[in-house]
Each structure stands twice: as C-alpha cells, then as structure tokens.
C-alpha cells in the first residue's frame, strides 16, 4: 500500500470524518469488488442492464422500480428533470425550453443547504426553479402548502444532518400536503440508512447514495413509482448522459444493496464499545476533554466529541492533523465552538492509535 501512495505522490488518509465525498466516501467489500470486476470484464446491452438491475433492486426494496444513477446529486437533477418533462421526448432534447412553465420546486428554507454543492444547483441543473417555504429555523405543513400554485412541479425534502433539524415538518407531513394537491414528493435521503422508511411515509421518489450507508461504489439510486422512474430513466438520453454510470459500478451497487439488506451496518452500540477506549485515551491528553455523543440528526451513529482548551483553537488542531502523513480528517462542523468530532465508522484500532499519537504531538506544543 505504501508503494502505491509513493508511486503517485499521494498522501495516506485516515477518515475520521464519516462518509465524506471529499475523501472518496467509503471502503467497499470484497463481494462488491468482485461484482465490479465481473462488470469490468464483460459486455452488456447497457439499456437492458439498467432495466434489469433496477427490477432486481425493486424486488429487494419492495417498490415499483429503481433507476441506478451515478450519484445522489445526479438523482436530484434527473428526478427534477423527469417530473418537469413528464415523459416528453421533446423535453429530453430541450430540457430548458421556455414552453414549459411548470418548473417550481418547493423546498423548505432550512433544507436549501450546501452539502458539497448547493441543493438549488442540482435543482436548477434539472431545469427547476427553487421556491423556499418557511424560514431558516422553521417550516410547517402550512408554510409548505401556501407556496403551491399552478407552476409547482414538485416538492423536494432533504433528509440530512446538514439541514435544520428543529421545528421542521416531517416527510409524512410533506407527503400529506403533496397528495392533497396532487404534487409529487421527492425525498433526497442520500446518507440515510433505512431504505424502506420514506417510501412507506408517502414519498413518490426517494434518492440514495450508493457509497454512503451501503458502502458501495460511486453510484446512487432513485426508487419509487413506476411512471416516475420511467421518466427518470428517460433522462439518460438527455441531461443524464453527462452523469452516466459505468457497468462495473452498476453491478457493484446492486451487490452492495443486497449485502446491506442481509447484514446491515455497524450498530450504534458497536460504535460506542469501540469508542470507549479511544475516548479514555483522548482524556489522558492535556488540554483535551472527550466524550461519546450521538449524531445530531438522531441517527444510530456515535462519535467522539473532543473539546480543545483555549490555548490552541480547534481549527488549529484540525489543520495540524491534516498536515502530516497520514493526513487525519475529522468532522469540523463545531470547530467554531472549540469542538472536534471523530467518526470511527471507517477507522480501525491501529488508525485510532495513530490519531492518539498525533494528538499527543500536537498538544505538547500548547
């Protein structure tokens, strides 16, 4: 492994930040690698591969149909384009034509976040126009409903730790409003772990990342009602062409979903147990105070939360952790409050020791 890093001039990375796109998201299993290899070594009729793999996933997920896409972001853009075009082949070739005026996509204001790119960029790429509902710290069903008009194409709900969590309507709330006005509800659940929940709560289309909770390759999938999925699939001949996914990652994603449904992901309790000795070691380091905390969005994910003494800022420690090889990446969302979080889902015991050793070096200088 070291020779590979040396050959290409790359820096080894310890990913204690979570399933982050900037670090390649997640590691894949041997079974996923085997599926990708099979895909890479064989030819397929790509249109048929897309349909058949979607049908296979649909049976596993108990939905009408599934379209595999290159990423969750592509899923947003292609889903928006699909709902606007409604199966029109003219729209596929002219996605931004002014003859279509029904382009408004209603989004709770607290969901219009930057997750690596702004949500509204993906909506606009799909030809939609974002209309915000509610306020940054509140969106009720009434706020959502009052924004619906004759130009409303869809409602988009972002289920993510990036979004505002307090005083926000639920997916079920949004689904009731959507059905009342016969407007499709799209849920972006990119990193969410439950592959059944949001369809069961009334969403028409749900988007997942293949590389996050499921630890698959760079890929995504849109699941939901048959007619809507057909419209999404049609986008492969339009804007989806620039977002196409290869045969190896299609097969790898299907294997990852199957494995995930069979074995699940690491439980919160397992994370807690692995974190306990790590946190004890952190608390032996001068000017650091550590505890185990749950994910702020309520997911079954536990992390080490480390408070840095005032003599050295959390931002300075974060920067120093990245400097050496291996570069150690952490969750930086609370750095302005003097807190660093360590997500250990992709961190083994040997890497935890490297983190401890590096923090001891850094904190000696305080």
């Amino acid at each position: 492994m070291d020779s590979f890093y040396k050959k290409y001039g790359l820096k080894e990375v310890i990913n204690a930040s979570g399933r982050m796109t900037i670090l390649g998201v997640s590691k894949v299993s041997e079974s996923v690698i085997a599926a990708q290899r099979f895909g890479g070594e064989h030819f397929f009729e790509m249109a048929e591969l897309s349909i058949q793999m979607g049908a296979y996933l649909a049976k596993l997920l108990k939905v009408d149909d599934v379209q595999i896409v290159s990423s969750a972001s592509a899923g947003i853009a292609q889903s928006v384009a699909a709902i606007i075009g409604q199966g029109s082949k003219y729209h596929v070739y002219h996605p931004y034509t002014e003859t279509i005026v029904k382009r408004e996509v209603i989004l709770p204001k607290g969901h219009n976040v930057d997750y690596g790119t702004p949500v509204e960029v993906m909506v606009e790429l799909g030809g939609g126009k974002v209309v915000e509902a509610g306020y940054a710290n509140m969106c009720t069903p009434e706020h959502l409903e009052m924004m619906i008009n004759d130009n409303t194409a869809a409602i988009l709900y972002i289920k993510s730790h990036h979004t505002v969590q307090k005083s926000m309507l639920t997916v079920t709330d949004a689904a009731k409003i959507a059905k009342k006005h016969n407007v499709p509800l799209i849920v972006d659940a990119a990193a969410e772990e439950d592959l059944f929940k949001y369809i069961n709560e009334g969403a028409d289309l749900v988007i997942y990342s293949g590389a996050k909770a499921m630890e698959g390759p760079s890929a995504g999938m849109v699941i939901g009602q048959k007619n809507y999925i057909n419209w999404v699939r049609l986008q492969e001949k339009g804007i989806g062409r620039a977002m196409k996914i290869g045969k190896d990652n299609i097969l790898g994603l299907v294997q990852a979903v199957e494995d995930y449904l069979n074995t699940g992901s690491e439980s919160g309790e397992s994370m807690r147990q692995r974190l306990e000795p790590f946190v004890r070691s952190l608390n032996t380091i001068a000017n650091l105070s550590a505890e185990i905390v749950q994910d702020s969005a309520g997911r079954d994910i536990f992390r080490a939360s480390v408070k840095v003494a005032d003599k050295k800022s959390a931002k300075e420690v974060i920067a120093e952790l990245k400097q050496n090889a291996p570069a150690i990446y952490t969750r930086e969302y609370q750095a302005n409050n003097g807190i660093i979080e360590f997500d250990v889902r992709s961190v083994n015991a040997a890497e935890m020791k490297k983190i401890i050793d590096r923090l001891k070096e850094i904190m000696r200088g305080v």
Side-chain angles (χ1 to χ4, degrees):
M1 183 176 69
D2 289 341
S3 62
F4 190 94
Y5 284 111
K6 281 182 182 178
K7 179 178 179 180
Y8 297 108
L10 297 169
K11 186 187 289 186
E12 182 184 351
V13 172
I14 293 176
N15 179 8
S17 64
R19 308 281 165 73
M20 298 297 184
T21 301
I22 61 167
L23 300 178
V25 191
S26 59
K27 300 173 182 176
V28 299
S29 68
E30 289 297 329
S31 63
V32 170
I33 290 172
Q36 288 178 284
R37 183 181 180 112
F38 181 83
E41 291 178 341
H42 296 83
F43 294 106
F44 306 88
E45 295 175 335
M46 292 301 293
E48 188 69 10
L49 182 68
S50 175
I51 292 169
Q52 292 301 329
M53 292 299 98
Y56 187 84
L57 286 176
K59 288 180 181 178
L60 294 178
L61 299 174
K62 299 178 174 60
V63 292
D64 286 350
D65 204 355
V66 175
Q67 175 63 17
I68 299 171
V69 292
S70 62
S71 66
S73 289
I76 296 174
Q78 290 173 244
S79 294
V80 168
I83 296 300
I84 291 171
Q86 298 187 7
S88 164
K89 290 187 178 179
Y90 179 83
H91 169 268
V92 168
Y93 298 119
H94 305 278
Y96 309 113
T97 177
E98 293 180 1
T99 60
I100 296 177
V101 296
K102 197 170 183 178
R103 292 182 176 276
E104 292 184 2
V105 177
I106 301 174
L107 178 70
K109 189 178 184 71
H111 288 191
N112 194 8
V113 297
D114 188 319
Y115 60 91
T117 191
V119 169
E120 62 187 299
V121 169
M122 290 301 105
V123 172
E124 290 171 2
L125 183 59
K129 176 185 176 183
V130 168
V131 174
E132 293 181 340
Y135 302 92
N137 64 339
M138 176 187 291
C139 184
T140 66
E142 291 75 22
H143 288 143
L144 197 68
E145 186 169 30
M146 69 176 64
M147 304 312 293
I148 297 174
N149 60 48
D150 291 341
N151 294 329
T152 301
I155 296 169
L156 175 61
Y157 190 106
I158 309 296
K159 185 66 181 177
S160 168
H161 67 280
H162 290 293
T163 60
V164 173
Q165 301 299 317
K166 67 178 184 178
S167 302
M168 300 299 289
L169 78 170
T170 64
V171 170
T172 301
D173 292 333
K176 288 178 181 177
I177 299 299
K179 282 178 171 47
K180 178 180 176 181
H181 293 273
N182 197 29
V183 173
L185 172 63
I186 304 168
V187 174
D188 171 40
E192 295 300 299
E193 299 194 344
D194 194 325
L195 304 184
F196 302 93
K197 180 179 174 70
Y198 305 110
I199 284 291
N200 291 336
E201 289 183 352
D204 297 295
L205 291 174
V206 184
I207 302 158
Y208 293 96
S209 168
K212 292 184 178 175
M214 292 171 280
E215 296 186 272
S218 292
M221 62 180 180
V222 184
I223 74 174
Q225 293 185 22
K226 185 75 174 176
N227 60 325
Y228 293 143
I229 294 296
N230 284 338
W231 295 351
V232 174
R233 186 169 290 131
L234 189 61
Q235 298 308 308
E236 289 187 339
K237 299 181 181 297
I239 66 166
R241 179 68 177 182
M243 312 168 195
K244 65 183 178 182
I245 180 172
K247 52 196 169 83
D248 51 345
N249 282 4
I250 290 174
L251 290 169
L253 172 67
V254 173
Q255 186 63 53
V257 173
E258 194 162 18
D259 291 349
Y260 181 75
L261 293 174
N262 288 333
T263 63
S265 57
E266 182 181 11
S267 68
E269 182 57 33
S270 172
M271 289 177 220
R272 287 183 65 92
Q273 290 177 10
R274 293 201 298 118
L275 279 164
E276 286 174 358
F278 180 61
V279 166
R280 283 198 298 270
S281 295
L282 288 169
N283 280 321
T284 67
I285 302 173
N287 299 301
L288 295 183
S289 175
E291 63 177 340
I292 298 173
V293 298
Q294 188 171 3
D295 175 67
S296 59
R299 294 178 294 174
D300 192 28
I301 299 171
F302 290 83
R303 304 184 178 99
S305 176
V306 180
K307 180 75 175 177
V308 182
D310 293 338
K311 294 179 181 178
K312 185 183 282 282
S313 74
K315 290 183 179 180
E316 289 175 317
V317 174
I318 287 167
E320 291 185 50
L321 284 168
K322 293 177 183 176
Q323 283 176 359
N324 290 5
I328 300 168
Y329 277 73
T330 62
R331 295 179 75 79
E332 305 175 11
Y333 302 115
Q334 295 195 63
N336 61 314
N337 296 320
I339 295 172
I340 308 171
E341 287 189 343
F342 293 82
D343 188 311
V344 298
R345 284 177 292 170
S346 299
V347 182
N348 59 36
E351 289 172 328
M352 286 187 197
K353 185 178 185 307
K354 289 181 181 180
I355 293 171
I356 295 294
D357 291 344
R358 180 63 184 135
L359 282 170
K360 286 179 179 177
E361 290 176 3
I362 291 170
M363 299 312 292
R364 283 193 199 111
V366 173

